[in-house]
Amino acid sequence: MKTSMTLSFFDLRRYRWLSYLLIAITACALLAGIILTRFVEARFVEATGKELALAASEVAEKLDRMLFERQGDVLMMARAFSAQATDPTYLSEYLRWMKTEYSPVYLSIAVTDSQGMVVAATESSLVGRDDSRTGSFIAARATRRLDIADVGVQEAESGVDTLAFTAPIFDQQGAFAGVVTSRVAVPFLEEVTARTIRSLEAGQKTG
């Protein structure tokens, strides 16, 4: 009986390394899991970062293009008004056509005379207003160039933040005849940004 017990004891000692092996395998599995998790996380962050950079680039490009087009519009109007700067009826009809044709881009468009008085506008409430002391009018008259104002609150009843594009108008003799100012509502630009982002997200889901 002693011999049998002794053999059993030695047999147990012989296979004790199995427990160490199991511990080592478990440790290696945990380490591999941690490494794999970190690898996947790093790749996910990298992919997300690229997607965010792509989205930001797309939004910036779209806004830049839109604002560039608004500059072209106001310069075109200033040139078109050079021979009709003293005809309020023609100016008002042209401005209303522009706002309708490009709806909902423009919140308002207005034309002043050389003294800064609004003589035509898409909103009748703006006609007769004195814009002679506004920064946009002063800058356009002084520099004889396009002026883009920082975000400001529209003076009309709407109280909406806008970007103002102001171009000087010159008569056929080259004399300063007033300015034309178009205003784009900031909420409209925000909506354009939101639509662009939603479009990119939809493209990623279908892709």
Side-chain angles (χ1 to χ4, degrees):
M1 181 176 293
K2 285 184 180 180
T3 303
S4 177
M5 291 180 63
T6 303
L7 289 173
S8 298
F9 175 74
F10 282 114
D11 288 342
L12 290 175
R13 291 189 61 185
R14 181 183 304 169
Y15 295 106
R16 184 179 296 175
W17 60 271
L18 286 173
S19 60
Y20 297 114
L21 178 62
L22 290 174
I23 293 173
I25 292 173
T26 302
C28 289
L30 289 174
L31 180 60
I34 292 173
I35 294 173
L36 180 61
T37 300
R38 290 185 177 178
F39 174 77
V40 172
E41 182 181 357
R43 291 299 298 271
F44 179 77
V45 170
E46 180 183 358
T48 303
K50 289 180 179 179
E51 290 175 2
L52 289 175
L54 177 62
S57 176
E58 186 111 0
V59 169
E61 182 180 351
K62 191 162 190 176
L63 288 177
D64 284 345
R65 184 169 62 251
M66 178 174 294
L67 296 179
F68 181 76
E69 290 172 354
R70 303 295 71 81
Q71 295 177 49
D73 288 348
V74 76
L75 290 171
M76 176 195 68
M77 285 188 285
R79 186 177 181 85
F81 296 158
S82 63
Q84 305 285 346
T86 58
D87 187 346
T89 302
Y90 170 82
L91 296 175
S92 296
E93 290 177 356
Y94 195 107
L95 296 182
R96 283 194 292 268
W97 175 81
M98 279 290 295
K99 184 177 180 182
T100 301
E101 195 70 16
Y102 288 88
S103 178
V105 174
Y106 293 115
L107 181 65
S108 69
I109 314 174
V111 174
T112 74
D113 60 18
S114 60
Q115 302 304 312
M117 297 297 295
V118 177
V119 295
T122 52
E123 279 67 45
S124 58
S125 60
L126 300 177
V127 177
R129 189 180 65 188
D130 183 3
D131 279 355
S132 61
R133 295 184 180 180
T134 63
S136 295
F137 178 84
I138 295 171
R141 181 179 58 183
T143 64
R144 298 171 69 87
R145 294 180 180 177
L146 171 71
D147 177 76
I148 303 175
D150 293 335
V151 174
V153 177
Q154 167 76 351
E155 290 85 348
E157 299 81 22
S158 58
V160 178
D161 287 338
T162 63
L163 284 178
F165 299 82
T166 302
I169 301 171
F170 304 104
D171 62 22
Q172 293 180 313
Q173 285 71 45
F176 177 75
V179 302
V180 53
T181 298
S182 63
R183 292 182 179 274
V184 179
V186 171
F188 169 74
L189 298 177
E190 292 172 344
E191 176 59 26
V192 170
T193 300
R195 285 202 306 266
T196 304
I197 293 174
R198 286 196 295 268
S199 176
L200 289 172
E201 289 176 343
Q204 291 170 1
K205 289 178 181 178
T206 56

